[in-house]
Amino acid sequence: AEMAAARLSGTENRLVSLPLSRIRVIMKSSPEVSSINQDALFLTAKATELFVQYLATYSYKHGRGKEKNALTYTDLSHTAEECETFQFLADILPKKILASKYLKMLEKEKRDGEVREDDEGEEEEDEDKA
């Protein structure tokens, strides 16, 4: 039985490119996970691989990288921002901006935030009166 299991895991390893040991570590990092079934591990690895493939293909086809025959970070971040399917990745794949531009955005947010807080206070008072 052990030989069959060894052969099976050997076959599984060839069917996925991602290292199963790393995926097991990531899965175990979740507090809800106590043990991981070998099939669940394999299927998670395969699903991850197919997802990454789909993301890369979609980003390549819809990005500017194909002009240079390359997939770029910008293509990936654009996909995360523009495509509803991938919007959950927007925090992980943010658009690259210059530090100076980012600092200006933070300053503007800070100023707008102060103004908004004052506005919200007035709105709350209006609601109380109504």
Side-chain angles (χ1 to χ4, degrees):
E2 285 180 33
M3 293 278 280
R7 267 187 303 193
L8 181 64
S9 65
T11 305
E12 284 177 357
N13 282 329
R14 275 181 263 134
L15 293 173
V16 291
S17 300
L18 298 171
L20 295 178
S21 58
R22 290 285 175 109
I23 290 172
R24 181 188 305 278
V25 169
I26 294 167
M27 289 172 78
K28 282 205 172 206
S29 71
S30 173
E32 298 91 39
V33 176
S34 54
S35 65
I36 299 163
N37 175 302
Q38 196 63 26
D39 290 340
L41 177 64
F42 171 74
L43 290 172
T44 301
K46 194 65 186 172
T48 303
E49 206 170 282
L50 293 171
F51 172 77
V52 170
Q53 220 171 28
Y54 179 59
L55 171 63
T57 304
Y58 185 96
S59 299
Y60 181 78
K61 284 181 182 171
H62 295 85
R64 278 185 264 166
K66 56 176 181 228
E67 295 164 12
K68 302 173 190 164
N69 204 22
L71 176 63
T72 65
Y73 179 89
T74 304
D75 295 335
L76 293 167
S77 66
H78 183 77
T79 295
E81 193 178 336
E82 301 297 321
C83 178
E84 201 174 318
T85 306
F86 297 110
Q87 277 180 350
F88 73 98
L89 295 172
D91 291 343
I92 299 166
L93 291 167
K95 269 189 167 179
K96 283 186 178 180
I97 60 170
L98 294 172
S100 57
K101 191 174 179 184
Y102 180 69
L103 292 171
K104 282 180 188 170
M105 281 171 52
L106 284 179
E107 275 301 310
K108 185 179 177 347
E109 278 179 22
K110 195 174 174 185
R111 284 194 310 269
D112 291 352
E114 288 166 6
V115 171
R116 278 198 203 108
E117 284 172 21
D118 294 344
D119 290 348
E120 284 173 9
E122 289 169 19
E123 285 174 19
E124 285 170 16
E125 287 169 18
D126 293 343
E127 286 173 16
D128 291 341
K129 290 175 190 169

